[in-house]
Amino acid sequence: MGKSFYKVILMYMVALAVGSLVGSALLFLIPDALGLSEIEEVMDDYVWKSTTVMGGIYLFFIIERMLKSITEWRKKKGNKEDLDDCSLHQPFSASIKEHTPLPNEAGLKVPPNMSERGACPMSSTNSSNRLLSPDTPDIQNIANVRGKLATDSEKGTCKKRKEKKEIAPVAWMIIFGDALHNFIDGLSIGASFAESTLAGISISVAVICEEFPHELGDFAILLNSGMNKKQAVCFNFLSATTCYLGLMIGIVLGESTFASKWIFAIAGGMFLYISLADMMPEVNHAAEDEDNQKIGKLKIFIIQNLGLLSGYGVMIILAYFGRNIDFGT
């Protein structure tokens, strides 16, 4: 029960991250980079056209899932028909085996130096004793080879145990990449708060929705790469501290209009790439994974749609009605 609930929450959070990241990039970062957020008349039209862009992404997501479901249903139907055909032909093949006469074995003669079971030659007692004697060179060679193989296997087992304690290089690459990612997140948050409180809140919400499933995935990868739980938590925390460094630099650079627009452009491209190139395939993989089939395909489809729509819905509410909110600034 706990494991299935965790999978449901993770599916919802990944879909929520996709919707919030795309909404944050389309509705806040890109217009701020282009200088459109300062013109109220243009922003009203831009918000709904950007929503149409998100609608196109969502429409093709639905179409892709429907086509995959239809293809899988036809495949299962074809396999069921093949099984039915095999069951229909099974009695006919069985009757052939029952009524087919076996070859006459009575005419076969067993050589005098062979046993009736067709085993090894039984020429004399001395030969059998010689073959079964443990002092023969062949038996000694076999024993030596077996001993050597056992020793090699033990060495290999010990070597594997030692290798498991080592941390794989992919773990350090993930930590470095996560640190750079968090730095850019902090940079975009700082520049957004320097621009306006509303933009800072919207970017922060999108980053939170994206980081929760992202950090859970990184933690699992670090554990599989050879780190223990304390090391994984420690290095994950250290990579997250770069967000504060980016936040401070973003606030300083955000005071310059020229620098902040370039930061918004970089952050917008990063948000679109993470949501559509990294996290959207995770959404599709979760729906196709055999381990998640116990939850139910319809339930998975509903959960992921709720995540996508709620993530983008929060962003569009902040973009359309946020200008009427007064934060006292």
Side-chain angles (χ1 to χ4, degrees), residues 58-286:
Y58 179 72
L59 176 63
F60 276 89
F61 168 74
I62 298 294
I63 292 173
E64 182 184 8
R65 292 293 299 276
M66 290 178 64
L67 290 175
K68 287 183 177 179
S69 299
I70 292 171
T71 304
E72 188 176 353
W73 175 76
R74 292 182 64 181
K75 186 177 179 180
K76 288 183 178 179
K77 185 179 179 182
N79 293 335
K80 186 178 181 181
E81 290 177 355
D82 293 340
L83 290 175
D84 293 338
D85 293 339
C86 292
S87 61
L88 289 173
H89 288 85
Q90 186 175 0
F92 179 72
S93 60
S95 63
I96 292 176
K97 291 181 180 179
E98 291 176 358
H99 296 88
T100 301
L102 296 175
N104 186 14
E105 297 180 354
L108 297 176
K109 296 182 180 180
V110 180
N113 60 342
M114 296 288 291
S115 65
E116 292 182 357
R117 295 182 180 178
C120 58
M122 301 178 64
S123 58
S124 63
T125 309
N126 295 331
S127 62
S128 62
N129 291 335
R130 182 176 59 82
L131 290 174
L132 299 175
S133 176
D135 296 332
T136 57
D138 294 336
I139 298 299
Q140 290 179 356
N141 291 334
I142 293 173
N144 293 333
V145 171
R146 286 181 178 176
K148 186 177 179 181
L149 290 174
T151 306
D152 292 341
S153 63
E154 291 177 358
K155 290 181 180 179
T157 305
C158 296
K159 188 176 181 181
K160 288 180 181 178
R161 289 175 181 174
K162 292 180 181 179
E163 288 177 354
K164 285 183 180 179
K165 296 181 181 179
E166 297 179 358
I167 299 174
V170 67
W172 306 114
M173 293 177 64
I174 289 173
I175 292 170
F176 176 77
D178 199 19
L180 182 62
H181 177 201
N182 291 329
F183 175 78
I184 298 176
D185 284 343
L187 201 67
S188 60
I189 291 172
S192 300
F193 272 108
E195 179 77 14
S196 67
T197 306
L198 176 63
I201 291 175
S202 63
I203 302 302
S204 300
V205 170
V207 169
I208 291 171
C209 293
E210 180 262 334
E211 282 298 321
F212 182 76
H214 184 262
E215 293 298 330
L216 286 178
D218 285 348
F219 183 75
I221 294 173
L222 292 177
L223 290 178
N224 292 330
S225 300
M227 288 188 178
N228 54 39
K229 292 182 180 179
K230 292 182 179 179
Q231 289 176 329
V233 170
C234 180
F235 283 110
N236 240 348
F237 175 76
L238 290 176
S239 65
T241 54
T242 58
C243 182
Y244 296 102
L245 178 62
L247 177 67
M248 292 184 290
I249 297 175
I251 292 174
V252 174
L253 294 178
E255 297 177 357
S256 172
T257 307
F258 178 77
S260 64
K261 292 184 183 301
W262 288 102
I263 294 173
F264 292 146
I266 294 173
M270 185 189 71
F271 278 24
L272 287 176
Y273 178 82
I274 291 172
S275 59
L276 299 178
D278 285 346
M279 307 199 78
M280 185 60 84
E282 291 185 13
V283 173
N284 293 325
H285 177 71

